[in-house]
Every structure is written in structure tokens, then in C-alpha cells.
Amino acid sequence: MSDEAAGAPLRVVIVDDHAMFRAGVRHEIGQRCAVVGEGEDVATAVAAIIATQPDVVLLDVHLPGGGGAEVIKQVLPAAPQVKFLALSVSDAAQDIIGVIRAGARGYVTKSISSDELMEGIARVAGGDAVFSPRLAGFVLDAFSGAVDLSGIDEELDRLSAREREVLKLIARGYSYKEVARELFISIKTVETHVSSVLRKLQLSNRHQLTKWATDRHLI
Amino acid sequence: MTDLPVPTAPPRAPLQRRPEGRVIAGVASGLAAHLGVPVAQVRLAFLVLALFSGAGVLAYGALWVLLPRAAAQAEAAGLEAATRSGMRPQAEPAAWGVDSGLMVAGGMVVVGLLWLFVAGGVVPAGLFWPVVIGGLGVIVIWLQVDERVGRSGVEPGAGWWGRVSRGGGNMSLVRLVGGLLLVGAGTSWILATQVGLTQLPGVLGASGVLLAGLVVVAAPWLAQQRTRVRQADAERLRAEARADMAAHLHDSVLQTLVLIQRQAGDAQTVATLARRQERELRTWLYGEATRAASLRSALREVAADVEGRFAVDVELVCVGDADIDDRVQALVQATREAVTNAAKHSGAPRVDVYAEVDDGRVEVFVRDRGAGFDPDDVPEGRMGVRESIRGRMERYGGSATVRSSPGDGTEVKVEIAL
């Protein structure tokens, strides 16, 4: 289920404006992957990522200089193969959706265990998406309702019934493996569904998504 | 080890009024502190100067208006916030209310001095009473200049004098009208004696027109000032509210850190403390404002409550939201029981709670990856909780299902139609 065993350890860059947190993560995952660089704001992060060309970047959502989304925007044109995994204490939905839409392939909270974090890094490096229960909830929220509005029934603007099912199970705390067992499908299929949701999240330009994000803090 | 630098008093106090050492407005004590001489000497100097055509009185009045009031010593942010929220004893009890006798005495001294000048021929005899009346009016109006006046209301216990002399809003209007009446009466009297009673209406009319013109010309400027003052006031209140909130949070973080140090040996308690603090901070920093009585905020309360009582993480995810009514309340209660149950019996470090409001129904899933049990093989005693959850839901037309198998955790689903 992870590509970790397939040869060289994954090369990781940690981007966070708190040195203490960087040190903690480095300590936790340093044995199992190669931490090749660190960044503390947008400028140093972009420089470190371009210089080291890592497999995965662990990216804080809030960062001096424009936030994690800004890092992704600046890195992707120069190094499109770098994968980003957002890591945050922030629960602000609009910021998390923002960093996903900028190109991150997943979001986990900082309280995640090191095992789960390693699993997430491997999954992202393999090109799949990592959805924490919270992110699954945000996405369900964002895509719920207003589906039957006329004029915006593009493929990208709605989730398929199966995708909704998968997301709901993830939001309920199921791991990919448990989702697969619950729905009688393979883990690969679960990963395909989640990646497809990620693509819709990133590419959909339906205005409900933006509206949802701006409405969030008014509720 | 080097000692921290101890702040030393500046060699000379800045020239400002010191309300804490005042007899009238703190001018003399401020001046004394600035010059480094005993305050009694300064007061005597003012009195002596007053004998020379009232120069002392004028000087005192001018300094009163011109000198800024000594600002309260700047304190640490937390102390200032604590002071504002009334959690500390007030450092400076107000002394204004009790000194009306002093005011009367001071007034009599001034009147006596004026009488002296009249008797000495400095002031024409006919002008004495008009000047006294007009002067009183001027003093009443100029009270407004004192920064103590009109700021954030008067202490509740203040008497009528305190209210009239220091209150804001209506009271400053009362002062203005009263003062203007007194000044008007004084000037009219002077005019009457100087130009004669018959000319009075004409002169007053002309003055009135002139004043009205001035007001019209100055109105935009006055209005602008008023807006600016209001904005500054609102800004100050906002800043204070923010500072208070920040101080409250830092304070609770401080408490948690102290508790963690004292319980350092007990990993579980430390984790519980840290989790509770984290939740509080996070809600303040990044949390969304939820309606007071909504499903979302009720479930959040449940999660925080269970996290506080047991050593578990409760991961709450909500999709959609609903208002609290009897049925939703029952659902929240059932959820609380399910979460508590999972925290108490499953042994899992984490409980996932997922709530979804969709198509007029609410579903809540409570899941743990703990010990689990065989639903067909439940001892009679353990049926209690399941039945109470199910019974509660069924009374409101909802339902509850429990899925569990040994070693595979438990999932409770409660649902209800809105």
C-alpha cells in the first residue's frame, strides 16, 4: 500500500514557520525518510524546494509571505513533479480548500501520528490524494446542495454517488483500507475515487465553491 | 548572571497635571514635581499671584487647560486587561465627589479677591456681579476640557455634583446650556449697564445673528471633529476588547502550563490538559463563528466535554448545520452517550464523530477502533446504554443502530428526520 519499500527513502522538505515544529517532525520521520531541506517562509521554502527537488513537501497552510498556496504557485511551474501535503493546526476551511486548489495533494492536521504521516507522505509521493476526515467533511460541505441548479451541471461540478460514499466513510474516520472493505472494492479503486475528487476540487470553477468558502465565516 | 536593568526615574518629572495629588486639578502638584520644590510653595505662589489682578487665578486656569493630565503608568497587557474587566482593586479611588465643600471655598476666595479689586478700584464697580456670573459660566463650560470629563461615564456612586461636573452625553449638554445662560446673563448685564437698557434688544439681536453666522461657518468642521472623536472612541473600544480576549487566552495558557509542570509525571493528565488548551486556542484563532444554538456548536461542546473527562481525542466533522429543537436535542444527547461510551469502554485513543445534515435528516456516526464487542453476546448490564440511546431516538421518531465486532471497534449511527 505504500511505495516506501521500493528502493531509496523518500526525500522530504519541511516547510513551517515554527522552528520547534520543524524539529519535531524531522525527529519523528527522520528515521524513515530523508529530510533534505526546510523552509520557514515562502521565499526560503521556494528556494529550498527548487534546490533539492524533493519527492514530497510537508507544507504549513499559514506561512509568512503569502501562505502555503503561494509556495505551491511559485514552485509548480519550475518543478511540476514535486508533490505537496498540507499540514496545519488551522481549521479555517477556506484556507485549506485554498491550498488544495493551489495544487496540494492532501491535507492532514498536525496532531496526526507519525505512522499516519508516513503513510500520507508515501501516498502523496505515489501520486494519490490524502484526505483526512476533516478535509472530507469540507469537501462534502462544499459540493453539497445546489447540485440541481440549472446551467452548472458539468461533470466537474458534482460528485458521483460513489465518490460521495467514499468521502462520507473517510469523514466517518475510516481508513482507505476500511473504506475498501466496507464498499467491497479494492484500495486502488478507493484511491482512484479520492484522486478524482481532488481533481474536481482543483479544477471545478463552479462559483458555489468560492461562494461556499466566503460564506463559511458568516454562518 | 547579569541582573535585568532596573528602570530608574527620569531626573525631572515631565510637566503635567497630577490628579492623584490635587486640590483642584493637580496643576500645582504637577508643577511642584516638575520644578522639584515642595507643593505648598507652589500653591502659595499661585495665591500670592492671585492678589495681583487675579494673575494667579488666570495662570492656574491656563495651565489647567494646557497641561496634559499625567497618564496612568503603562502596565503589562495582562494587568491592564485585568483592570478593565474589574478583576483588580482600583488603584486610584475617585476623590471628586467629596470636595464640593472645597469648591465652594475656592469660589468664595475668588469672589473675595474680585471684591478686593473692586474695592481697590481695579475693576469698575458696576461690572462686579456680571463678571462673577459670566466667569462662573465660563468655568462651567471649560470643565469640558478636563479629560476626566465625559470619558466612559461616572462611577455609579457619584452624587449630583459628580454627575453634572463630570458626566458625558446629556450632562455635557446641561453644562453647555447652563454655562451659556450664565455667560449670556453676565454679558447682557454688562451691556445693559454700558449701553443702556433700551439699546439692549438691538445689540443682543446683532450679536445673536453674528453667533449664528459663526456656527453655520464652523458647522462642517465641528461635525468632522465629532465623527473623528467617535471613530477614535470605537477604535479604542475594539482594541481594548481584542487585548482583553488575548490576555484571557494567554492567561489560560499560562494556567495550563503551570498545571502541566505540576503533573509532569502523569502523561495522561498532561495530554488531556494540552488537548483542552489546544482546542480553546484553536477555536479562538481559526474557529468559525457558529450560531449559538446549532447542531454544530452542540456537538462541539459534546466533543470538548468528553475530551476533558477522558483521555481520548474526539475528531468532529460536520457537514451542514441545523437549528436545535427537541428532536435535534435528543440526537445530541444520544450522541453524547455514544461518545462517552466509546471513550469509556473501547480503549481506543481516538473517537471519530461525523454529522451530516442532508435532505431534511440528520445522521451522526460515532466510531472507535477499540475493543468492540459481539452484539449477539452482550451481557444484560451492557444493554443499558444501547437501549437508552435507541429508546431516546425512537421516542422522537428517529433510530439508532450499533455495529460492532470484537477487535474491530464499534460504530453507532443515530439518525432523525428534521
Side-chain angles (χ1 to χ4, degrees), chain A residues 62 88-92 109 111 116 133-134 136-138 140-141 144 164 168 171-175 178 181-182 216-219, chain B residues 278 282 286-291 296 313-321 350 352-354 356 358 363 365 367 369 403 408 411:
Chain A
H62 291 151
S88 170
V89 289
S90 155
D91 284 342
T109 47
S111 55
E116 283 175 309
R134 191 156 290 161
F138 289 158
L140 282 171
D141 221 358
S144 74
R164 279 188 61 84
K168 259 181 90 163
R172 276 157 67 177
Y174 284 58
S175 69
E178 290 165 330
R181 200 178 54 190
E182 177 77 16
R216 271 309 268 209
H217 47 279
L218 298 179
I219 297 173
Chain B
E278 184 205 331
R282 200 213 298 260
Y286 307 113
E288 40 191 302
T290 32
R291 286 168 292 164
R296 225 175 247 257
D313 261 328
V314 180
E315 180 84 19
L316 173 66
V317 175
C318 283
V319 171
D321 203 353
R350 183 174 123 180
D352 284 286
V353 180
Y354 172 70
E356 181 176 323
D358 197 18
E363 289 178 334
F365 296 88
R367 179 161 193 279
R369 283 204 186 76
R403 254 177 44 170
D408 206 26
E411 185 170 62

Side-chain angles (χ1 to χ4, degrees), chain B residues 134-213:
Chain B
L136 270 178
V138 170
I139 289 174
V140 166
I141 292 174
W142 276 84
L143 270 175
Q144 186 71 28
V145 174
D146 194 335
E147 295 98 329
R148 290 180 65 88
V149 170
R151 273 198 74 208
S152 62
V154 186
E155 301 83 42
W160 68 270
W161 170 247
R163 278 204 303 280
V164 170
S165 65
R166 288 175 47 206
N170 285 341
M171 280 308 153
S172 61
L173 203 67
V174 166
R175 278 198 301 276
L176 185 67
V177 171
L180 280 178
L181 279 177
L182 286 172
V183 172
T187 34
S188 306
W189 194 338
I190 292 173
L191 284 174
T193 52
Q194 298 305 105
V195 301
L197 211 53
T198 46
Q199 304 286 328
L200 192 58
V203 174
L204 279 184
S207 321
V209 170
L210 191 66
L211 276 178

Side-chain angles (χ1 to χ4, degrees), chain B residues 100-384:
Chain B
S100 51
L102 206 66
M103 292 293 288
V104 173
M108 285 170 77
V109 168
V110 172
V111 171
L113 284 171
L114 276 173
W115 189 250
L116 210 62
F117 302 142
V118 174
V122 183
V123 182
L127 291 188
F128 175 71
W129 283 114
V131 166
V132 168
I133 293 172
L136 270 178
V138 170
I139 289 174
V140 166
I141 292 174
W142 276 84
L143 270 175
Q144 186 71 28
V145 174
D146 194 335
E147 295 98 329
R148 290 180 65 88
V149 170
R151 273 198 74 208
S152 62
V154 186
E155 301 83 42
W160 68 270
W161 170 247
R163 278 204 303 280
V164 170
S165 65
R166 288 175 47 206
N170 285 341
M171 280 308 153
S172 61
L173 203 67
V174 166
R175 278 198 301 276
L176 185 67
V177 171
L180 280 178
L181 279 177
L182 286 172
V183 172
T187 34
S188 306
W189 194 338
I190 292 173
L191 284 174
T193 52
Q194 298 305 105
V195 301
L197 211 53
T198 46
Q199 304 286 328
L200 192 58
V203 174
L204 279 184
S207 321
V209 170
L210 191 66
L211 276 178
L214 275 177
V215 168
V216 168
V217 171
W221 181 78
L222 285 174
Q224 202 183 22
Q225 285 299 317
R226 194 180 155 80
T227 329
R228 207 170 289 166
V229 166
R230 279 205 176 155
Q231 277 169 351
D233 229 30
E235 184 54 44
R236 183 176 56 84
L237 286 179
R238 264 200 302 276
E240 280 182 5
R242 268 198 301 271
D244 287 354
M245 193 62 206
H248 165 73
L249 268 171
H250 287 139
D251 195 50
S252 66
V253 171
L254 210 59
Q255 310 269 11
T256 303
L257 288 177
V258 170
L259 284 172
I260 283 180
Q261 285 174 43
R262 280 176 27 188
Q263 318 260 352
D266 184 349
Q268 205 164 78
T269 315
V270 168
T272 308
L273 285 169
R275 199 157 32 226
R276 189 164 51 205
Q277 189 59 60
E278 184 205 331
R279 177 179 288 276
E280 197 177 321
L281 262 181
R282 200 213 298 260
T283 312
W284 185 66
L285 285 171
Y286 307 113
E288 40 191 302
T290 32
R291 286 168 292 164
S294 73
L295 175 67
R296 225 175 247 257
S297 55
L299 287 179
R300 200 173 293 156
E301 241 168 64
V302 168
D305 176 51
V306 174
E307 277 189 351
R309 285 188 295 134
F310 303 97
V312 290
D313 261 328
V314 180
E315 180 84 19
L316 173 66
V317 175
C318 283
V319 171
D321 203 353
D323 286 326
I324 294 278
D325 58 15
D326 284 354
R327 276 170 303 174
V328 176
Q329 188 64 45
L331 177 100
V332 169
Q333 280 303 329
T335 306
R336 181 187 293 271
E337 276 183 50
V339 177
T340 308
N341 222 25
K344 212 191 281 182
H345 300 298
S346 75
R350 183 174 123 180
V351 179
D352 284 286
V353 180
Y354 172 70
E356 181 176 323
V357 183
D358 197 18
D359 291 339
R361 49 191 302 108
V362 194
E363 289 178 334
V364 179
F365 296 88
V366 178
R367 179 161 193 279
D368 68 71
R369 283 204 186 76
F373 57 94
D374 186 347
D376 299 328
D377 186 27
V378 178
E380 281 305 309
R382 285 288 305 273
M383 289 296 282

Side-chain angles (χ1 to χ4, degrees), chain A residues 13-36:
Chain A
V13 167
I14 304 171
V15 178
D16 195 295
D17 52 335
H18 291 101
M20 214 154 92
F21 181 76
R22 291 200 304 271
V25 173
R26 188 187 265 269
H27 175 76
E28 273 186 38
I29 65 172
Q31 306 289 323
R32 295 191 272 172
C33 61
V35 178
V36 293

Side-chain angles (χ1 to χ4, degrees), chain A residues 16-68:
Chain A
D16 195 295
D17 52 335
H18 291 101
M20 214 154 92
F21 181 76
R22 291 200 304 271
V25 173
R26 188 187 265 269
H27 175 76
E28 273 186 38
I29 65 172
Q31 306 289 323
R32 295 191 272 172
C33 61
V35 178
V36 293
E38 289 184 7
E40 59 174 5
D41 54 28
V42 170
T44 58
V46 171
I49 296 166
I50 300 289
T52 58
Q53 299 282 328
D55 297 307
V56 175
V57 177
L58 289 181
L59 185 65
D60 193 8
V61 173
H62 291 151
L63 213 56

